[in-house]
Amino acid sequence: LGSITAVRVLGDGLWAGAQNGITCFDLGSLQTRGTIPSTCQVTGMVEFQNHMFAAYRNGDIRIFDAAGNQVHFLPSRGEHTSNTSVEIMMHPVANVPMLLCGQQYGYITAYDLPSLNPRGSFVCEERSDVKAIVDAKFGGVFLTAGLLGDIMAF
């Protein structure tokens, strides 16, 4: 599948996102369970409620159940045409889970879960691809790290 870009555990499976898709391995035997091919690079994955959310370089988001079946597809749209990182956290006021998608040029788009309705977009550091988003798990604070060396707290 090419270079590995993300690794996550879901249940008893190890999910490896790569240049050309996702391969799932059994954690007990490390034997391959299956592969989900893609023509676009996986840039990040995050587990939520026994599902794996996979973010793709072209801005697509695909959601898979623990068996690797795609249960939802959110295509890139509007200004959300790239994914460079992904995180899930609770909204500090609405108290609903949100999917945060880091993008090129410093943008983040937030989606409410489970509806995947867009909550909004904002820019962290202009022209600095968002390479990491981390939920601080304190008071709704999250951190971003950008390609230009910037670290920001929101």
Side-chain angles (χ1 to χ4, degrees), residues 84-95:
T84 55
S85 57
V86 65
E87 176 67 291
I88 292 178
M89 66 175 290
M90 294 299 288
H91 188 281
V93 176
N95 201 32

Side-chain angles (χ1 to χ4, degrees), residues 1 8 15 22 25 28 42 44 47 54 56 60 65 73 77 93 104-106 113-114 117 122 133 140 143 145 147 152:
L1 290 176
R8 293 285 182 261
W15 293 57
I22 300 169
F25 301 90
V42 175
E47 183 270 334
Y56 293 82
D60 292 348
D65 64 17
F73 172 61
R77 58 183 167 181
V93 176
Q104 293 176 321
Y105 310 115
L113 294 176
N117 289 327
F122 58 93
I133 307 169
L143 307 166
L147 188 62
M152 301 186 81

Side-chain angles (χ1 to χ4, degrees), residues 106-121:
Y107 286 88
I108 290 182
T109 298
Y111 297 92
D112 287 337
L113 294 176
S115 67
L116 287 172
N117 289 327
R119 181 168 280 275
S121 295

